[in-house]
Structures are given as structure tokens and as C-alpha cells.
Amino acid sequence: MTGSTEHTEDTQDFAPHPHIGGRTAALRALAAWRGAAPGAPRVVVLTGSSGSGRSRLLTGFLMLCEPEYRKRLPLHEMDPSTVPPELPAPAVPTADGLTAAQGLWLLADHFELDATSTAEVYTELAALDEPVTVVVPDVDRAGPVRATDEPARLVREVLTPLAATETVRLLAEVPRPLAVELASGLADVLPPGTVQVIDLDEPEWADPVGLVLHAQAALNPEFGAPELPFTVDPAARLALGAAIGRRAGGSPLVVQLAVHCILMAPEGFDPADESLLPTSVGEALDLHARRLGADPQTLRLMLAPLALAEADGIPAHLWARLASAVAGQDMSQAFAAGMLLAGPFVQPEEVADAEDQQEGNTRTLLRLLHPGVGDEIRAGLPNVRAAQTQIAMTLLEAVPEQDWGRADPYVRDHIAGHTLEAGLLPQLLTDPGLFVHADPVPLRAAIEAVPTEELGAPARTYLRTAPMLTRTEAPATLRAALLETAFVEDGLPEYADAIRSRLGVELPWQTLWSLPVVGVSGVTVGSLPRPEGPAVSVAVLAVPADTPGAHPVGEAGGENEAGRSAVLVHGLVRPDDLGDAAPAPDPTLIVRPTEEERAAAPLGLSRGADYLRVWDRASQEVVAALISDVPFTAADLSPDGILLIATERGAKALRIGSAAPAIAS
């Protein structure tokens, strides 16, 4: 299934692609795929080692596929065989940070498919009248948590069935081990010639001339390099660039690291000594450290937290602290020496500070220059799990007084990923503060990676509620409301109490009780007179006749018996308001609110197919909006603001407050 597109025409008279600067053979193959040329494959798997340049190649190719962007490229100067025909832009559902399912639904949305399940997505794609073109980049970066192996899931659950769908022309950028799995699996189900693997590390796709040109351009002051003897002298610059490209072993990443190390710390570098030029990522690290008089292991330990980081990188202020934790010793002296040692391998990024609402405030995140550097660092760690344990413990210590609401956003949102790889996540999942304040997308992904039997009851409740949290993108107050109700429903009142009392979050309601009774078809609020004292507020639930404790309604006996229904009477505010006396209260004695009483109540209730809204009659503002992962079957609102709800799970009562709009399930 592998092979290059043969082309013997001399390319020296053509201008290179301005972004790629080479890779002619690969570009020809991709252009043939895009144009559906005779004999071209329907599925192309672009792969190579980490740092082989596959992402850069794919980015450059997509520039040629996007109608507006290609207008800015010198197409008339480029090799015509590398330029795909002008066609509508392909669908590009990026995998970066997404789950396999999210990536598939991005695709379904792009093509406006009327699908309600993943299986239907493929069925509808197969039924299309015209073929569609799909490009999936960054498969290696799939998933909100690094340790969950989402790239493999994406390949098996999305790319494989996509490739098997005859109406889909697919190009996917895949790490080599998964590319081998994908290609071999498709070989058993697709005709020969359907799939082509372009492995950029193979000689037929190699680009040694392009590597040299990249090195020489990176050394050129015209493109931002500092003015040094071997950069301003054209002959010296070309010679050094040729040596860097020759030594790099076909890896664009090694070329990039070699140039970075030289330009960031040129003192002591002899351009005539090729032994100072790296042949691998690991050698780039070690040579740079030795040239600066440092222990290579010190550099690797400094970079270890970045190699184990989640998402977009770790906050700059935590870097030295985490490195010391991994090293098991104080690393402050190494960091005091400045960024010359670690700088060539680190990429800082200023991001908006979501915690500080003042316009223009940013925070600095640090990540490695390339994932390939992270692969090298992790491979050199004696025990990744132990390193993650030290990082996790240090992050926990950084939470002020264990108040997750005050924790650094990185600590709060990504500690689950570190504890997952450390094997400690189940022990962490006992704090409702973490459930409320952490970003639910990575937290949910991390918890789903733990076997269910290892999770405690609070974690199982969170996992049940998580789809609601992620779907609504609920902020912390709304997450607290959802979880408070869920804990009551699942018989964990102490966790609901903790959310109400310990977290300092003003909830828009309090869940008074939850009753797991099946088959509730109607609910109403009312009051039950007592011989002495005030009447008791009650909830009346219409339930099946065989429900324990229910009071039959309707005439008994004969042909009416099978159709009889029943009601269950429950204290509206507290379950014990009715006491333990038997028999059950007579429902005929219950007094329902009059229409006048309901109209005079301060709160009103609106109901749709999948939502409930409670609104303030005076201001007409919604004070609580409720949705559910299972349909509502009934709802009623008492004049004093207690909402009675029924779903297929049972019934519950919420005392509505006057807080901001919120969502509950």
C-alpha cells in the first residue's frame, strides 16, 4: 500500500512551496489524491516519526486546497504536479484536544448530516450522492487528557470506518504505530490500491535538499537570525546549513533544535566542528548541555515537567517547583542560570487570564517546542508514574488551604490528568470542591479512563452528571447546582451538604429530597389538614397501582381493577413531615392551591419538552432553568417556591431561591 508518485521531470526551475520549501514527492502524491487522478488512492495515511515534519507538510498542502488562501501562493511558479486542482475546501475536523466522538460530530455538523448516533453518521455519509473529502490532522494530539490514549480510539472508532466508507476520500496524519495498525486493518477489507501510506522517514519520501535549505534559511539574518560571523558570511552560512542538514538524519526537528541551540548560545560554538551538530533529538539535548558546561541530566530534569504537562503547558511560576519535585532535589540554582540551558527547547505563550477580568491581563504558559522533545524526555525518565506522583503531590500542595475555587487554573483543571498517569486518581475523587471547580471536559475524560469498579460513589455520581456539565458548558455555579441535585438523588447527602455549606457558592436552589420511584406520571403540590396545628405541605405523585405505600384511586373490583391508578403522598419540604403513622394519608383530604393562589405567587413555571424554567413574575427574569438527561414527565410549583419534578428516575423537590439563572438535572 506504500509508494511514491513517480515523476522524473526536473524541479529546479520551479519555485518551492513558500511554507514547506521542499517535499516535492509527497506534495505530488497528495495533489494526485486531491484531484482523484487515475490510479490515485482514495485513502492516504500520512505518517512518520515525531519531528518528521508531517504536520508542516499537511499545513502546506491544505494551503493549496483552501480556495482563498491559494490565491496568495505563487502557483504559476510552482511545479504543476504539486498543485491540486481548484476545488471546494475539504472538511478538516481537527483532532487536537478532542475525543474521538467529538471529532466525528464535527464532521457530521460540517456536512449537516441528520444523524443521532455515530453509526448513523457513517450510514448517511455512505448514502451521499457525491464523494466528500476529509482531512484529519493532529491525530497524535487527540484527547483532552494525554494518558487516555485517545489517538488510538480515534483511529479505531473514527478513521477506520471513515476509510471503509466508499463515498469518503480521506487523508489522515497519524503517528507511525497507529498508521501501521490502520493500514493493515484496511488491507483486509479494501481493494488493493485504495490506501497509500506516505511515511516521511522512508527514503522515497525523504527531502535531504529541503532540510539543508531549511537550515540555511534559519541561519539567515534576513529571516530573523542574529548577526554572527557564521550567519552574515554567506559562504559560512551555507556550509554550516549543509552540515546541519547532513547530520540531522532526515529529521526537520533535529535541524530546528540544532539551529535554536547555536543561535541562542553561540559562545563556544565552532562551525567547523561537525561533532557539535546533533544527529537526534536526544543528542541535541546532550550536546547543548555539555557546550554550556551543564550536566545533560540537569537539562532533562528541568524539561521533565513540560514533557509530562497537560493541555497547552504549565504556568511559568510552577515550572521550577515541579522540576524540583521530579528531581527529588532543589533545582533553583539551575533555573537561576537563566533560559540559555533550557531555552532552545521551550516555547512560552501568553494567554488571556480567564481568572482576571481586567482587559489585557495575561499569564505565561510554557510547553516544549515540539512533542518529539517530550517523547525523548519521557523515554529517559526511570519511572514516569513516580514522576507524575511527585508532580501531583506538588500540585495538591499548591492549592490554597485546599480551596479549589482559589487554585491556579492549571492545577484545578489538569491535576486529574497527572493523577491518572500516577495511578492516584480514584483517591482524588472525594472532594466535591474539585468536582465543582475543575473544567469538566478533562476531568470527565480522566475519570472515564479509570475502571468503574475502582471508582467510589461520588465519582460515579460525577460521571453520571458529566455529560450535562460538558454539554451546557456550565460555569462553576451551575456545575454546583447540577451536582448538588445529583448527590441527593444518589443518596449522598453529605456531598450535597458540602456543596451548599463549604464551597461558598450561592446556589439557586436547594434539593430537599429525591425519591427513586418508577413510573411517576403526574405530580401536584398541596396541603394536608391536621386535627391540630397547621396543615402540612405535601407532594402528590401519580404512580402505578403496585407502588409500595401508594393509595389506590378509583373504584375497586371487577373490570375497573386492572385500570386502577394510585397516588403516593410525600412531605413536600421534609420526608418526615407526615410522620410514620399508618395508614397512608387519604389523598381525598388534600387541598390543592387555587388558581388565584398560583397567580398571586411570586414565581411562575414554564415547561417545554426538555426544559423547565422558573421565573420571577415581578421582573419577568428567569431565576432557574432546568434541563435533564432524561425527559421530564411532570412538574408543579408551590406558591411558596418549591418545585416538584418527576422524570423516569423518580421525583424530587427543589426549593427555588432568587439566585442567578442556573441549570439542573
Side-chain angles (χ1 to χ4, degrees):
M1 288 188 184
T2 63
S4 60
T5 302
E6 293 186 5
H7 197 287
T8 58
E9 182 180 349
D10 190 359
T11 62
Q12 65 181 358
D13 294 331
F14 294 115
H17 188 298
H19 179 76
I20 301 172
R23 296 291 189 191
T24 302
L27 276 177
R28 285 174 180 156
L30 295 179
W33 165 82
R34 181 68 183 100
R42 180 172 60 80
V43 177
V44 172
V45 180
L46 178 62
T47 190
S49 60
S50 185
S52 61
R54 59 179 191 254
S55 294
R56 185 181 184 88
L57 170 61
L58 188 58
T59 299
F61 175 67
L62 287 174
M63 292 176 180
L64 294 167
C65 296
E66 209 288 317
E68 289 301 316
Y69 200 99
R70 65 186 272 144
K71 294 177 182 177
R72 301 180 235 166
L73 299 176
L75 301 184
H76 61 287
E77 301 175 10
M78 296 171 60
D79 183 345
S81 67
T82 66
V83 180
E86 188 168 2
L87 295 166
V92 187
T94 180
D96 191 359
L98 301 182
T99 64
Q102 287 174 318
L104 183 61
W105 287 113
L106 275 180
L107 194 62
D109 290 342
H110 178 86
F111 291 115
E112 299 181 343
L113 302 180
D114 188 20
T116 58
S117 68
T118 55
E120 289 181 4
V121 174
Y122 303 114
T123 301
E124 293 210 13
L125 285 172
L128 294 175
D129 296 331
E130 298 289 336
V132 294
T133 306
V134 178
V135 179
V136 182
D138 301 322
V139 170
D140 59 326
R141 301 188 184 193
V145 176
R146 190 170 48 79
T148 57
D149 203 18
E150 198 67 28
R153 187 174 294 112
L154 179 67
V155 166
R156 294 161 191 162
E157 298 178 7
V158 177
L159 296 186
T160 298
L162 272 181
T165 304
E166 292 186 2
T167 56
V168 175
R169 298 189 60 79
L170 177 66
L171 167 59
E173 178 212 339
V174 183
R176 183 184 288 114
L178 292 175
V180 172
E181 176 184 329
L182 176 60
S184 60
L186 293 174
D188 298 331
V189 297
L190 295 178
T194 303
V195 181
Q196 180 181 37
V197 176
I198 299 177
D199 187 336
L200 297 182
D201 293 324
E202 294 296 326
E204 58 193 317
W205 306 108
D207 187 22
V209 174
L211 278 184
V212 170
L213 293 176
H214 275 250
Q216 292 170 341
L219 292 168
N220 196 329
E222 290 185 10
F223 301 116
E227 294 188 354
L228 300 166
F230 50 81
T231 62
V232 297
D233 182 342
R237 180 174 67 245
L238 294 177
L240 178 57
I244 291 173
R246 188 168 55 249
R247 293 273 294 175
S251 171
L253 176 58
V254 174
V255 168
Q256 183 182 21
L257 294 177
V259 172
H260 273 220
C261 291
I262 293 168
L263 298 184
M264 187 166 286
E267 294 78 10
F269 174 72
D270 181 1
D273 186 356
E274 288 198 16
S275 67
L276 297 177
L277 302 177
T279 60
S280 66
V281 173
E283 195 170 21
L285 289 161
D286 298 343
L287 285 173
H288 180 69
R290 292 192 184 103
R291 192 159 59 81
L292 269 62
D295 182 355
Q297 184 62 13
T298 297
L299 172 57
R300 289 171 179 263
L301 288 172
M302 290 176 69
L303 299 177
L306 305 182
L308 297 171
E310 295 289 334
D312 295 325
I314 62 173
H317 70 275
L318 288 176
W319 183 18
R321 188 172 174 182
L322 294 177
S324 296
V326 173
Q329 62 186 37
D330 185 3
M331 297 285 290
S332 57
Q333 186 172 354
F335 281 90
M339 283 291 289
L340 284 183
L341 181 58
F345 310 96
V346 176
Q347 181 175 340
E349 182 179 4
E350 296 295 320
V351 298
D353 191 347
E355 305 300 310
D356 192 331
Q357 300 303 315
Q358 294 185 21
E359 186 175 353
N361 282 7
T362 61
R363 61 202 309 261
T364 302
L365 297 180
L366 302 174
R367 60 171 176 244
L368 293 175
L369 186 69
H370 190 278
V373 179
D375 294 341
E376 171 67 25
I377 297 295
R378 286 191 298 273
L381 289 173
N383 189 325
V384 170
R385 185 166 181 164
Q388 285 285 33
T389 298
Q390 295 304 316
I391 287 176
M393 294 299 101
T394 303
L395 293 177
L396 278 173
E397 292 170 0
V399 179
E401 299 177 354
Q402 292 304 295
D403 181 353
W404 291 100
R406 297 163 54 201
D408 181 275
Y410 181 87
V411 178
R412 179 191 67 210
D413 296 337
H414 299 295
I415 191 170
H418 292 283
T419 53
L420 174 65
E421 197 164 17
L424 301 173
L425 182 56
Q427 293 92 302
L428 183 69
L429 303 176
T430 58
D431 191 334
L434 177 66
F435 293 145
V436 166
H437 291 290
D439 182 340
V441 173
L443 181 56
R444 174 188 178 183
I447 297 175
E448 287 178 338
V450 179
T452 304
E453 61 272 15
E454 296 181 17
L455 297 176
R460 292 195 296 272
T461 294
Y462 183 88
L463 209 52
R464 175 176 73 80
T465 313
M468 297 279 289
L469 305 180
T470 55
R471 187 180 80 193
T472 60
E473 299 182 352
T477 299
L478 308 190
R479 295 197 293 266
L482 281 162
L483 289 165
E484 186 263 359
T485 297
F487 284 131
V488 173
E489 288 178 331
D490 291 352
L492 299 170
E494 66 276 20
Y495 284 87
D497 288 342
I499 290 176
R500 289 191 289 260
S501 61
R502 284 203 296 112
L503 303 188
V505 179
E506 185 179 359
L507 298 179
W509 60 76
Q510 176 184 349
T511 306
L512 301 175
W513 51 264
S514 177
L515 194 63
V517 59
V518 178
V520 181
S521 58
V523 298
T524 185
V525 299
S527 59
L528 182 66
R530 290 190 292 186
E532 297 181 4
V536 177
S537 297
V538 294
V540 183
L541 316 178
V543 295
D546 58 354
T547 302
H551 192 291
V553 176
E555 296 182 6
E559 61 184 17
N560 296 324
E561 190 64 30
R564 295 183 76 195
S565 60
V567 296
L568 196 63
V569 182
H570 192 279
L572 183 60
V573 179
R574 290 177 296 273
D576 58 357
D577 278 349
L578 297 178
D580 299 324
D586 184 352
T588 62
L589 302 177
I590 295 174
V591 179
R592 272 69 169 180
T594 66
E595 291 301 319
E596 290 78 9
E597 289 173 322
R598 291 183 182 276
L603 299 178
L605 175 64
S606 301
R607 179 182 171 188
D610 59 355
Y611 70 88
L612 296 172
R613 292 195 180 101
V614 179
W615 44 277
D616 185 288
R617 293 183 188 275
S619 65
Q620 296 296 301
E621 293 182 357
V622 174
V623 297
L626 298 88
I627 61 174
S628 177
D629 56 346
V630 293
F632 293 110
T633 56
D636 196 12
L637 181 65
S638 73
D640 58 349
I642 296 179
L643 180 62
L644 183 60
I645 307 169
T647 69
E648 65 182 38
R649 287 202 188 99
K652 58 190 174 186
L654 285 68
R655 185 189 296 280
I656 303 298
S658 57
I663 299 173
S665 65

